Amino acid sequence: MTDISRRRSFLKATLGGAAAITLAEFVPLTALARQGKTPVTTTRLDEKLVVLSGAGANVVAMTSPEGALLVDGGVEARSGELVKRALKETGTKKVHTLINTHWHPEQTGSNERLGKAGARIISHVNTQLWLGYANDVPWQDEKWGPLSKQGL
């Protein structure tokens, strides 16, 4: 795949993900989502793009020749289930790229799992800074981070 093709695929995924998040039903992070009491549901946008909801956040998955690309990763407690469902829905064997839209635990819960599995994690430098140290998460009454080097 050429650099131009990769850039075009990345831009398509990013724009598609942004549109999907805007259009998808919002599923707030709740104790039920973290406990696995809400089902992970899918909304297919086209043959290569799907939105997964119910694992604490809306996650966009895109099929590509390298594997799956995810925009956000849900909560850590549901990461295994979410990744398994994303792979099934995209018909791929691995997640090659995870894009973090921001540092909140409901968007970065799959970072450690996917980073250790070799996925490339892309985020704004400020997101990386936030994930580099322990942060209070007042709406969950807990701390989040710091993530390992692989999780960043």
Side-chain angles (χ1 to χ4, degrees):
M1 186 177 246
T2 67
D3 284 343
I4 291 173
S5 285
R6 284 190 186 116
R7 281 186 231 145
R8 285 183 183 152
S9 292
F10 173 77
L11 288 173
K12 283 182 192 176
T14 303
L15 292 173
I21 289 169
T22 301
L23 298 173
E25 177 183 348
F26 176 69
V27 178
L29 175 64
T30 64
L32 293 175
R34 285 187 282 163
Q35 295 168 5
K37 294 184 179 179
T38 57
V40 174
T41 61
T42 58
T43 304
R44 184 152 297 279
L45 301 176
D46 69 16
E47 69 276 354
K48 291 187 174 188
L49 206 57
V50 65
V51 176
L52 300 119
S53 302
N58 290 320
V59 175
V60 177
M62 183 184 106
T63 305
S64 76
E66 294 89 13
L69 177 142
L70 299 183
V71 178
D72 290 330
V75 293
E76 187 174 21
R78 304 288 298 276
S79 175
E81 177 186 359
L82 180 76
V83 169
K84 183 177 179 182
R85 184 72 177 264
L87 295 176
K88 178 183 175 199
E89 292 294 328
T90 59
T92 60
K93 295 183 181 184
K94 69 174 187 165
V95 174
H96 68 84
T97 302
L98 171 65
I99 299 171
N100 293 146
T101 58
H102 55 286
W103 69 269
H104 292 158
E106 59 268 26
Q107 276 72 39
T108 57
S110 293
N111 279 36
E112 293 286 350
R113 172 185 305 278
L114 294 175
K116 288 176 183 172
R120 176 177 44 180
I121 300 173
I122 299 172
S123 67
H124 189 278
V125 68
N126 287 339
T127 299
Q128 294 172 0
L129 292 172
W130 277 95
L131 294 174
Y133 64 92
N135 289 283
D136 286 315
V137 184
W139 61 91
Q140 291 180 356
D141 199 28
E142 61 185 55
K143 288 199 183 293
W144 176 246
L147 297 185
S148 70
K149 183 178 178 183
Q150 292 170 317
L152 295 174

